[in-house]
Amino acid sequence: MASFLTTKAPCCGKLYVCRLCHDAEENHQMDRFQVREVQCSDCHTLQQAQQTCQQCHVQFGEYYCDICHLFDKDKKQYHCQLCGICRIGPREKYFHCGKCNLCLATSLRGNHKCVENVSRQNCPVCMEDIHTSRVRAQVLPCGHLLHKTCFDDMIRTGAYRCPLCMHSAWNMEDHWEQMDKEIAQSPMPTEYQDATVKIICNDCQAHCMVPFHVLGMKCSSCGSYNTAQDGGLIQQPRQQQPEPDTETEGETDTEPEQHDHPE
């Protein structure tokens, strides 16, 4: 944000340091693309929006976009025509994904799951805009977006699933291995040792029949514990122990046979 000018709001004609200050004070929003005039804070000259004051030649901002009418310090910004707004760069480290309709880091080129117009949805945590937010977005493995700050808060609470589709929000292999060890060291009581349950895996969408355990049910397809139980327990019939031979036992209880002795 530049500190050497105020912007004349095209909607109400009032002067504000920035559109966010305007929106916080007024009951309507300023359209940044319709801004036509600014006022220099040094000489108070009202003039056409431009980077340098026409009267005293003070620079309004190291960076100026004549489309967004953004004045700011130099942060390697660039205007993305397809996004329709300015992004913090540098430009060569980002590319615009046509399907996601969003600028992403070049490391994600061909290495992310596309979700059509994903940035046009609000953040599912705070329910605020992602596309024009000054907070950068976190791209989840499922392709959905969160504000990076919302993602960090989610991790701190122990949540690990995407709020929209329940897919794991990052690589959980180490955690699944730890759960394997905990389950191996915690056998279920005898009456539940043969119990099974149907599950749906939130990570690979597989439907499986797996052993029941209170600590978690592991997907037999991908090895994830990010699963949901589908129905109740299925108890396997236990084998009956053979009953003892009562006749044999009876013979041992009889008195020995009496024999006649000759007189």
Side-chain angles (χ1 to χ4, degrees):
M1 179 180 64
S3 58
F4 298 105
L5 82 160
T6 52
T7 300
K8 183 177 180 181
C11 43
C12 57
K14 297 179 182 179
L15 294 171
Y16 281 94
V17 173
C18 70
R19 66 180 180 86
L20 300 177
C21 298
H22 169 277
D23 295 350
E25 291 290 331
E26 304 294 339
N27 60 0
H28 58 277
Q29 293 185 334
M30 180 194 296
D31 183 350
R32 70 175 85 178
F33 303 105
Q34 296 302 317
V35 169
R36 295 292 179 265
E37 294 180 297
V38 297
Q39 184 180 70
C40 177
S41 297
D42 283 1
C43 67
H44 305 292
T45 301
L46 186 66
Q47 58 199 281
Q48 180 181 345
Q50 54 196 307
Q51 189 169 11
T52 304
C53 177
Q54 66 183 27
Q55 183 68 28
C56 66
H57 308 296
V58 67
Q59 188 181 64
F60 294 143
E62 295 173 340
Y63 173 81
Y64 170 61
C65 174
D66 59 2
I67 300 175
C68 296
H69 301 296
L70 172 66
F71 301 84
D72 205 351
K73 294 180 179 179
D74 183 11
K75 301 172 185 174
K76 308 298 182 185
Q77 299 96 323
Y78 65 97
H79 181 87
C80 176
Q81 196 67 37
L82 295 174
C83 282
I85 58 175
C86 291
R87 298 289 190 191
I88 294 178
R91 181 189 293 270
E92 59 269 17
K93 290 189 176 181
Y94 293 87
F95 76 101
H96 186 91
C97 175
K99 186 171 183 179
C100 295
N101 203 5
L102 176 70
C103 285
L104 299 173
T106 53
S107 60
L108 293 174
R109 188 189 294 272
N111 190 32
H112 71 284
K113 183 177 180 180
C114 289
V115 177
E116 192 166 359
N117 289 325
V118 65
S119 74
R120 285 354 190 234
Q121 303 172 11
N122 288 341
C123 172
V125 175
C126 67
M127 300 307 296
E128 294 186 1
D129 179 59
I130 290 180
H131 185 72
T132 61
S133 175
R134 292 180 293 172
V135 179
R136 75 181 184 90
Q138 177 75 31
V139 183
L140 304 185
C142 57
H144 292 125
L145 301 181
L146 307 179
H147 288 124
K148 181 62 168 64
T149 50
C150 294
F151 176 75
D152 293 340
D153 289 343
M154 188 179 79
I155 292 176
R156 279 192 286 270
T157 64
Y160 66 89
R161 299 182 181 99
C162 170
L164 292 174
C165 67
M166 303 302 286
H167 193 284
S168 294
W170 66 89
N171 190 323
M172 298 288 291
E173 288 182 3
D174 291 344
H175 185 65
W176 300 154
E177 288 178 5
Q178 183 61 35
M179 288 192 67
D180 283 340
K181 295 175 182 178
E182 292 177 4
I183 288 176
Q185 296 169 2
S186 308
M188 291 293 291
T190 304
E191 60 269 29
Y192 293 107
Q193 286 183 358
D194 295 327
T196 58
V197 66
K198 293 180 180 178
I199 62 166
I200 302 172
C201 180
N202 291 319
D203 286 341
C204 72
Q205 309 306 313
H207 292 244
C208 313
M209 180 83 73
V210 299
F212 170 76
H213 200 287
V214 291
L215 296 181
M217 276 76 74
K218 182 176 183 176
C219 174
S220 58
S221 179
C222 70
S224 170
Y225 282 95
N226 181 12
T227 59
Q229 186 171 326
D230 181 20
L233 295 184
I234 301 173
Q235 294 280 10
Q236 301 297 330
R238 300 183 65 84
Q239 293 183 350
Q240 298 292 329
Q241 296 295 330
E243 295 183 0
D245 189 344
T246 54
E247 293 183 2
T248 304
E249 289 183 356
E251 291 176 359
T252 60
D253 293 337
T254 58
E255 294 182 359
E257 186 178 352
Q258 299 292 326
H259 297 279
D260 294 334
H261 297 283
E263 295 181 356

